[in-house]
Amino acid sequence: MSIEPVVREEEIQASPSPENNLGQPWRRLFRWHFVVLLAVIVFFGAIRWRLLDMPLERDEGEYAYAGQLILQGIPPYQLAYNMKLPGTYAAYAAILAVFGQTARGIHLGLLLVNTLSIILLYVVTARLFGTLAGTIAGSSYAFLSTHQAVLGLAAHATHFVVLAALIGVIPLLRAEETKRTAFFFWTGIAFGVTFLMKQPGLVFGAFAFFYLAVQCWPNNKCEWARWAKNMGVFLLAGVLPFALTCVVLYRAGVFRNFWSWTFEYARQYAITLPLREHWEELAPKASTLLLIFCLWIFAVARIARSFWNPIVRRHVVFVDGLLAFSCAAVCPGLYFRPHYFILIMPVAAILIAVAVTSAIRLLTAKFRSRWLHVLPVIVFAAAWALTVHRNAELYFKLTPLQACRFCYPLNPFVEAAPLAEYLRRHTAPTDTIIVFGSEPEIYFYAHRHSASGYIYVYSLMEDQPYWPAMQKQMMQEVEAKRPAYVVFVDVWNSWLQRPGSPQVVAFVTWMNRYVSNGFDEVGMVELADPESRYFWGDGARGHHQPGREIRIFKRKG
């Protein structure tokens, strides 16, 4: 009786079943499982395709405006200030150059980025745990990265961080297997680019260093020199993309702005809110449920670990390390925006795949019924289908404009495009405009430059030591550039101000004086669901809805 489980285990190990393709060449991973994955990619790609014309939200507007400026030969941080690193700006510039300077073009680029991420996650997971696990992981990420709870339909920087990190995992695994210096170099380059996409990408670079250091740890004194050399090459290669970026920005004359915003202000931004307020921000959001979901998956996978075979257990350092570092990547600043959780979706998808395939191994070892053997896959597919059904209205019924209102209630993203079209028609290409609010998508749609580099007013409203100097700089830039039009976005989400604070009082006092002395009101948008109302000319002055409106002012004379 004691021999039977051993024989079964050997038979399982020798069988060509999907979950036992470990160690096989990369080219043999592409079997029928990839056909299933392709169907999943087409399914979610069709959803994204149907919603390509969703209006841009404000983060997308920032990246799009910065990318548009790059295509005009204007470097980042010269006419648009922000604390994000420039990798995503460059990625957007490439997307705009290929697919066009429209919301549709941007979301088409996101579709491509998401598809590549799904395929890469399949390849990595299949290489480690078998093709069935790869298919489940890729399918899980396709669903998780599209979900509205993480704002997955918007082209946030986190999508680009994930793609760059997954690209880096390919040479990472090859570096572990071969110990060849070239793979350490390309791994460092890839994770250096991951950092450039957004600061949390540095955490994934730290994971790569940790993983290589542990897995390639020398067994004898003779290997120490080679280990130190390879790790040194990885670190130097990881720094190289950032160093080259600094050189380019220095030669463009914007290095001081770049450093001030991406490091000095970013550091201050991370410590602005006390811990209590961070929790108050996190608690009511859907991202809390995602965090709990990911932790639950981790717990299930840890329980299932007792059923893992020795080959799977060999990759515990990769899975546990990636989970720990992914969680850390979500947490810098403790702001917990919904789209930050996209960074944890790849490892969550891997854990789901490990849990399903571990359950299959357990049932295969204990029972002879083939229906029981495939039960975990059936449960996974049923849960997947049920969740898609619960999101059917967004995925299959709402128009792009309705989907935008559904995902971003009480935000003026739908109204930004027609408003920007009005500004474009009534201004010359050399005119500037200014948006008092945080809606940089208006500049992108209008193809007009901002009269100030402050495309968001959030930093001007925060209780941080730089706000007086920032407000003074913005006021001077606006007064010097003499914008042809002023847009006042009277929506709380566009300001996040604390009524009565010194920051609000100082800025609003100047803004009211500046507008009343030099501008006439020519337009007003009354924000409403399902459709906002637009008033132009004399009709704009008689309609006001404070807190739910956008007002447009034209320079006198």
Side-chain angles (χ1 to χ4, degrees), residues 207-230:
F207 159 73
F209 179 84
F210 161 79
Y211 181 75
L212 289 175
V214 171
Q215 295 298 99
C216 301
W217 191 263
N219 296 319
N220 54 65
K221 293 182 179 180
C222 298
E223 297 178 357
W224 275 101
R226 185 180 182 185
W227 179 86
K229 173 189 173 183
N230 286 339

Side-chain angles (χ1 to χ4, degrees), residues 67 93 166 196 213 220 234 250 277 281 328 337 340 359 374 403 437 448 461:
L166 289 173
L196 283 182
N220 54 65
F234 168 80
Y250 179 81
E277 295 191 24
E281 177 188 8
R337 306 285 192 257
Y340 292 3
V374 299
R448 297 293 181 265
M461 301 295 109

Side-chain angles (χ1 to χ4, degrees), residues 14 46 53 60 104 110 144 152 167 174 225 262 343 347 395 464 481 486 498 541 543:
D53 291 317
E60 291 179 300
R104 185 179 184 85
L110 173 62
L144 292 171
I167 290 173
R174 294 293 290 153
T262 59
L343 298 176
V347 71
Y395 290 163
Q464 43 91 4
K481 291 290 183 65
V486 168
R498 305 185 183 204
R541 301 183 184 92
H543 295 83

Side-chain angles (χ1 to χ4, degrees), residues 37 40-41 44 48 110-122 125 133-147 150 152 154 156-166 293 339 341-353 380 384 395:
L37 183 69
V40 173
I41 291 173
F44 284 103
R48 290 185 180 275
L110 173 62
L111 192 160
L112 177 61
V113 167
N114 187 250
T115 299
L116 291 175
S117 298
I118 295 168
I119 294 173
L120 287 170
L121 185 61
Y122 164 81
T125 310
T135 305
I136 294 172
S139 301
S140 298
Y141 183 75
F143 168 71
L144 292 171
S145 61
T146 308
H147 202 280
V150 294
H156 286 286
T158 43
H159 286 285
F160 297 89
V161 172
V162 166
L163 176 60
L166 289 173
F293 167 76
H339 56 279
F341 284 85
I342 291 172
L343 298 176
I344 207 172
M345 294 298 99
V347 71
I350 292 174
L351 289 172
I352 293 171
F380 166 77
W384 190 86
Y395 290 163

Side-chain angles (χ1 to χ4, degrees), residues 12-35:
I12 292 171
Q13 294 289 353
S15 70
S17 60
E19 65 271 25
N20 290 289
N21 290 324
L22 306 174
Q24 294 186 10
W26 297 90
R27 65 180 179 274
R28 297 184 65 183
L29 299 179
F30 296 90
R31 300 191 177 187
W32 69 267
H33 302 88
F34 193 73
V35 176

Side-chain angles (χ1 to χ4, degrees), residues 298-517:
F298 174 56
V300 171
R302 297 299 292 175
I303 293 171
R305 180 175 173 179
S306 60
F307 307 118
W308 294 359
N309 62 53
I311 298 177
V312 176
R313 193 159 52 244
R314 187 176 65 202
H315 301 295
V316 167
V317 173
F318 179 88
V319 177
D320 287 2
L322 183 59
L323 176 67
F325 282 92
S326 297
C327 290
V330 175
C331 296
L334 299 177
Y335 282 93
F336 301 111
R337 306 285 192 257
H339 56 279
Y340 292 3
F341 284 85
I342 291 172
L343 298 176
I344 207 172
M345 294 298 99
V347 71
I350 292 174
L351 289 172
I352 293 171
V354 168
V356 172
T357 53
S358 296
I360 292 174
R361 295 197 64 82
L362 173 64
L363 295 173
T364 302
K366 297 293 184 182
F367 304 100
R368 295 185 180 277
S369 172
R370 293 192 175 186
W371 284 107
L372 285 176
H373 297 173
V374 299
L375 181 61
V377 175
I378 295 174
V379 171
F380 166 77
W384 190 86
L386 177 61
T387 311
V388 169
H389 174 71
R390 295 187 64 178
N391 292 274
E393 185 175 10
L394 173 64
Y395 290 163
F396 310 119
K397 297 179 181 179
L398 298 182
T399 67
L401 296 184
Q402 291 171 334
C404 184
R405 292 192 189 279
F406 175 80
C407 295
Y408 305 96
L410 304 180
N411 279 287
F413 304 149
V414 171
E415 294 75 17
L419 191 157
E421 178 61 21
Y422 172 87
L423 295 173
R424 190 187 64 80
R425 291 200 313 266
H426 290 82
T427 57
T430 55
D431 287 336
T432 62
I433 59 177
I434 187 66
V435 177
F436 289 138
S438 301
E439 308 303 334
E441 66 274 14
I442 294 176
Y443 301 121
F444 171 73
Y445 286 135
H447 291 263
R448 297 293 181 265
H449 290 175
S450 170
S452 171
Y454 288 87
I455 56 176
Y456 293 118
V457 296
Y458 295 139
S459 59
L460 310 178
M461 301 295 109
E462 295 165 353
D463 186 14
Q464 43 91 4
Y466 300 122
W467 76 262
M470 286 179 168
Q471 287 197 6
K472 181 179 179 181
Q473 182 184 9
M474 181 182 187
M475 295 171 188
Q476 291 175 342
E477 289 176 352
V478 171
E479 292 173 352
K481 291 290 183 65
R482 294 177 56 82
Y485 280 82
V486 168
V487 178
F488 171 47
V489 183
D490 190 5
V491 179
W492 185 83
N493 286 344
S494 195
W495 291 75
L496 301 183
Q497 80 275 26
R498 305 185 183 204
S501 67
Q503 297 89 339
V504 173
V505 171
F507 189 82
V508 171
T509 300
W510 169 82
M511 181 184 69
N512 288 337
R513 183 176 65 250
Y514 178 76
V515 173
S516 61
N517 289 342

Side-chain angles (χ1 to χ4, degrees), residues 56-73:
L56 302 179
E57 49 100 85
R58 58 178 59 90
D59 275 15
E60 291 179 300
E62 172 205 336
Y63 302 132
Y65 179 52
Q68 189 178 72
L69 292 176
I70 290 174
L71 295 180
Q72 296 171 4

